[in-house]
């Protein structure tokens, strides 16, 4: 009696998750750059802030390089369960970042539209 061989779909899941992480990463980069140009935004990552301060396209290069290196490593290890777990973790962190950006933009819109509102920086 032959054993039933089930196809392993882990590599496809890892690629799909990485694609979504790239979309979220590009949105994060766009939001960060647009808010830095506004002048009332501080990059909380000290290394990214240093790069953004000293090089014109440095922030984009920095963030995209880190995203590419991490994605390349996870892609290379896509057959292993730990790579899939890592991509799920990365997706969760980037998803949380997208929620944070949404809340930040809602708070900024309230403050801009109603000058009597002074929201604390904690709400951002």
């Amino acid at each position: 009696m032959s054993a039933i061989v089930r196809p392993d779909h882990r590599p496809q899941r890892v690629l799909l998750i990485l694609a979504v992480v790239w979309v979220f990463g590009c949105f994060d980069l766009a939001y960060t750059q647009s808010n830095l140009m506004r002048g009332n935004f501080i990059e909380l990552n000290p290394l990214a802030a240093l790069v953004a301060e000293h090089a014109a396209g440095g922030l984009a290069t920095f963030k995209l390089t880190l995203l590419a290196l991490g994605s390349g490593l996870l892609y290379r290890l896509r057959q292993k369960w730990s790579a899939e777990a890592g991509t799920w973790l990365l997706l969760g962190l980037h998803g949380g970042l997208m929620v944070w950006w949404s809340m930040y933009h809602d708070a900024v819109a309230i403050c801009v539209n109603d000058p009597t509102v002074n929201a604390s920086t904690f709400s951002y």
Side-chain angles (χ1 to χ4, degrees), residues 11 14-23 25-26 63-78 83 86-87 90-91 94:
V14 168
L15 286 174
L16 181 61
I17 297 167
L18 284 175
V20 175
V21 166
W22 268 88
V23 170
C26 289
K63 286 192 172 204
L64 292 175
T65 300
L66 286 180
L67 192 56
L69 288 173
S71 297
L73 180 62
L74 290 168
Y75 175 77
R76 177 132 174 129
L77 300 172
R78 68 189 177 276
T87 55
L90 198 56
L91 179 64
H94 272 81

Side-chain angles (χ1 to χ4, degrees), residues 18-99:
L18 284 175
V20 175
V21 166
W22 268 88
V23 170
F24 285 173
C26 289
F27 274 111
D28 174 47
L29 176 61
Y31 287 147
T32 302
Q33 287 186 322
S34 66
N35 283 293
L36 281 174
M37 289 188 305
R38 189 184 294 166
N40 62 348
F41 179 78
I42 298 170
E43 171 63 56
L44 292 179
N45 179 341
L47 190 54
L50 183 67
V51 170
E53 186 178 305
H54 293 295
L59 184 64
T61 303
F62 175 76
K63 286 192 172 204
L64 292 175
T65 300
L66 286 180
L67 192 56
L69 288 173
S71 297
L73 180 62
L74 290 168
Y75 175 77
R76 177 132 174 129
L77 300 172
R78 68 189 177 276
Q79 298 288 345
K80 300 186 181 293
W81 73 267
S82 57
E84 184 177 3
T87 55
W88 280 111
L89 177 64
L90 198 56
L91 179 64
L93 293 172
H94 272 81
L97 186 60
M98 292 299 102
V99 170

